Amino acid sequence: MKFCFLIPDGVGIRNYLYSDIIKDLTSRSNEVIIWHSLGKPQISQVKEIVGLDFLDYDFIHRPELPIVKFIRETTTYARLKQNVKLKENPTILDNWMPRKIGWKNKLFYKLVEKSALFLNNYHEIHSFEKIGFLQVRKSQAYKESLQFLRKTKPDVLFCTHQRVPSITPAVLAAQDLQIKTFTAVFSWDNLPKARLAFRTDRYLVWSDYMKDELLTYYPEIDENQIDVTSTTQFDFYRKEELIDKRGDFAEKYGLDQDKKWICFSGSDSISSPNDHEYLEDVAEALKNQNNVQLIFREVPVESIDRFKEVLSKFPEIKNISPEWVKSSQWGSFFPLPSDIKLLVNLAYHCDVVINLGSTMALDFAVFGSTAFYLAYDQPHERKRFVKDVYGFEHFKTMNGLDAVGWIRSKDAILPSIHKALSSQGEVGPDKMKWFERVVQPNKTETSSQRIVKALIKN
């Protein structure tokens, strides 16, 4: 069989090019080609890094036709409103963040929001989406996709990210050519956000929990179209060869191996606009603690600029930056394999990770590290309140479980950390139950192996 992996951004490199999926497929006499938007220098670098040679082709993200964008945005807003009613959770609508810059955009989105009022259920929403998909077929991007797919003749088109609207013409072209289409749900919080930009023949999800979400928010999708495969990003934690000895890791990054390591993992400026202040609070709480060392890892896709003042004020913080290749466009950012190894070792060697609602709590749970979620507002905050953040639908995955520790005030930082360090397992004792619910790993098969099986059998 011939598989075409459509990788619309750099994040897909980690999960699909650095994982064992392509190696497993090609070892079974299958052919794999990569259709990507990373640029030739970047993809050549990736080939050299992973030691794989595959045919690759440039994917060009074309602007949507105005009518297509209007229908997509209208159905997105309407679906969000339906999701709010279904779950009785108003925070779902916080995911509606259109760029209302300039009078044209303001007028456009006013029309979108008014039009969405006429879509009163999921059936009506999906019917309107179908009209949008028909309009996509009139686009130049659709015609180019048809031409590409007729030329390359894959049996399967696998899009590695379900949220990118400019992929829709390629998916529709593949379906019209009777090419089987797959996509994977990228993150644990994606489905309530109503950003499933296109429909495929089959869907790869992390867990039964996510499968139920997909069926709930998209009732037009049939249960038989969904494969539970976990996600490859957690496969790397199963590779013992990636774990350094503590002394070697300490020497490489200038850490004191005799101290307890506390990792503050940064969030992006939308999720946590006051993240630099939280880092300062943690550093202040730990400044006289001689037995601990604070490590800071900023979010890979943003600049470290807003943290520089705090890092200067507290030089004892060890800033270990993600090892990513960055360019002018976010979609072209991608991690190096060394960053995967770095993250594995941070999760393995650190005793505690602290952040504001990040999925990193799941990464660190693999090795039994305690996660603390910061759950207090900065005094000046007037918009992004933590009660709203932790009201997001994906945090309901913790319902009934004591999975993380909660730091509910600045004064609680130090005693919370002391408790975690002195009573191993007492804070967040259900962390692995939560991990299994969200990620659903298989003891005998990696996610890569499960994905390969799903791609081949279907």
Side-chain angles (χ1 to χ4, degrees):
M1 295 178 68
K2 188 174 185 179
F3 296 86
C4 176
F5 279 57
L6 178 47
I7 302 180
D9 55 37
V11 178
I13 289 177
R14 177 188 63 177
N15 285 2
Y16 299 99
L17 297 190
Y18 292 161
S19 71
D20 295 328
I21 293 176
I22 293 178
K23 291 178 182 178
D24 285 353
L25 282 171
T26 54
S27 70
R28 303 183 189 204
S29 301
N30 297 294
E31 183 181 354
V32 176
I33 63 173
I34 307 296
W35 199 9
H36 65 93
S37 57
L38 299 169
K40 289 297 183 184
Q42 286 83 0
I43 201 69
S44 296
Q45 186 175 357
V46 170
K47 287 182 184 181
E48 185 176 347
I49 288 170
V50 300
L52 289 174
D53 192 17
F54 43 74
L55 292 175
D56 72 279
Y57 303 88
D58 292 328
F59 180 86
I60 300 173
H61 293 277
R62 300 291 188 193
E64 292 176 290
L65 297 175
I67 184 62
V68 171
K69 182 178 180 180
F70 170 75
I71 293 173
R72 178 178 59 78
E73 292 285 51
T74 300
T75 54
T76 294
Y77 186 62
R79 200 177 286 268
L80 283 171
K81 291 177 73 68
Q82 286 297 312
N83 294 351
V84 168
K85 288 193 290 185
L86 179 69
K87 295 296 183 178
E88 298 181 343
N89 186 351
T91 68
I92 289 175
L93 206 55
D94 290 350
N95 294 297
W96 180 245
M97 296 183 289
R99 290 175 57 83
K100 297 182 179 180
I101 300 175
W103 70 268
K104 288 184 179 179
N105 272 331
K106 290 179 181 177
L107 180 62
F108 175 82
Y109 281 105
K110 185 174 183 179
L111 182 60
V112 162
E113 291 167 5
K114 293 291 185 183
S115 300
L117 297 175
F118 295 95
L119 302 174
N120 297 308
N121 55 57
Y122 290 117
H123 175 73
E124 292 178 0
I125 292 168
H126 186 50
S127 295
F128 198 38
E129 282 176 325
K130 288 180 179 178
I131 296 174
F133 296 150
L134 289 173
Q135 295 298 316
V136 170
R137 289 177 166 90
K138 299 177 182 180
S139 68
Q140 181 63 28
Y142 173 79
K143 295 173 185 175
E144 290 173 352
S145 295
L146 279 176
Q147 184 179 13
F148 172 81
L149 293 168
R150 282 173 177 151
K151 175 184 175 183
T152 54
K153 295 182 173 62
D155 299 293
V156 172
L157 177 71
F158 176 31
C159 179
T160 62
H161 200 312
Q162 91 291 346
R163 288 191 58 174
V164 184
S166 53
I167 297 300
T168 305
V171 173
L172 291 173
Q175 291 172 336
D176 291 346
L177 293 172
Q178 304 300 307
I179 297 168
K180 183 79 75 171
T181 57
F182 284 74
T183 194
V185 178
F186 174 70
S187 187
W188 69 321
D189 64 348
N190 281 175
L191 290 174
K193 296 179 178 180
R195 292 291 179 180
L196 189 61
F198 44 82
R199 302 296 180 275
T200 53
D201 298 310
R202 302 203 65 83
Y203 302 85
L204 308 181
V205 298
W206 293 19
S207 60
D208 289 327
Y209 188 99
M210 189 179 280
K211 177 180 178 178
D212 290 341
E213 282 192 308
L214 185 56
L215 294 171
T216 297
Y217 298 120
Y218 295 89
E220 68 271 19
I221 295 173
D222 189 88
E223 181 178 6
N224 293 326
Q225 294 177 263
I226 305 171
D227 292 291
V228 175
T229 61
S230 191
T231 173
T232 56
Q233 68 195 66
F234 293 100
D235 281 354
F236 300 105
Y237 296 103
R238 301 169 72 155
K239 295 179 179 289
E240 294 183 6
E241 65 271 21
L242 294 179
I243 299 174
D244 289 330
K245 292 180 179 178
R246 185 177 178 87
D248 293 340
F249 186 74
E251 183 178 0
K252 183 175 181 179
Y253 291 101
L255 299 168
D256 188 336
Q257 65 174 314
D258 296 322
K259 293 184 177 182
K260 298 289 187 179
W261 295 344
I262 311 297
C263 179
F264 185 104
S265 60
S267 297
D268 63 84
S269 53
I270 294 176
S271 301
S272 183
N274 303 310
D275 221 42
H276 55 295
E277 296 178 52
Y278 288 116
L279 175 61
E280 183 171 4
D281 289 349
V282 174
E284 184 71 36
L286 297 178
K287 67 178 181 180
N288 294 320
Q289 304 301 305
N290 295 324
N291 66 325
V292 301
Q293 189 157 32
L294 180 58
I295 299 169
F296 172 57
R297 174 185 165 92
E298 72 266 24
V299 66
V301 295
E302 287 189 356
S303 165
I304 199 174
D305 288 350
R306 64 183 172 134
F307 297 96
K308 285 182 176 178
E309 186 175 339
V310 179
L311 295 174
S312 177
K313 183 177 178 180
F314 296 93
E316 66 271 20
I317 299 175
K318 289 293 181 179
N319 177 212
I320 304 179
S321 293
E323 297 176 10
W324 281 53
V325 173
K326 299 184 179 182
S327 68
S328 58
Q329 299 294 323
W330 180 89
S332 297
F333 286 25
F334 68 90
L336 295 170
S338 58
D339 188 64
I340 294 172
K341 183 178 174 69
L342 168 58
L343 189 52
V344 168
N345 278 279
L346 285 173
Y348 183 79
H349 291 295
C350 289
D351 296 274
V352 172
V353 62
I354 302 174
N355 54 55
L356 197 144
S358 167
T359 185
M360 289 283 277
L362 290 167
D363 292 74
F364 280 67
V366 176
F367 297 118
S369 298
T370 299
F372 282 106
Y373 277 166
L374 296 158
Y376 64 93
D377 294 310
Q378 293 295 336
H380 61 82
E381 183 56 63
R382 296 294 180 269
K383 292 182 179 179
R384 189 75 168 178
F385 298 111
V386 294
K387 67 178 179 62
D388 297 326
V389 171
Y390 294 117
F392 290 158
E393 196 63 26
H394 60 281
F395 288 110
K396 290 184 180 179
T397 56
M398 289 193 285
N399 283 358
L401 299 176
D402 184 0
V404 301
W406 299 89
I407 296 177
R408 302 191 184 278
S409 71
K410 181 178 177 179
D411 292 339
I413 294 173
L414 185 57
S416 296
I417 291 174
H418 276 165
K419 182 178 181 180
L421 294 179
S422 62
S423 305
Q424 189 174 8
E426 185 175 341
V427 179
D430 296 331
K431 61 176 71 70
M432 285 312 299
K433 290 181 181 179
W434 179 45
F435 180 83
E436 288 165 5
R437 178 185 291 178
V438 178
V439 179
Q440 201 167 324
N442 185 300
K443 292 182 179 179
T444 59
E445 289 185 307
T446 65
S447 176
S448 294
Q449 291 168 331
R450 294 160 75 183
I451 288 173
V452 168
K453 279 187 176 180
L455 291 173
I456 291 175
K457 79 175 182 179
N458 295 303

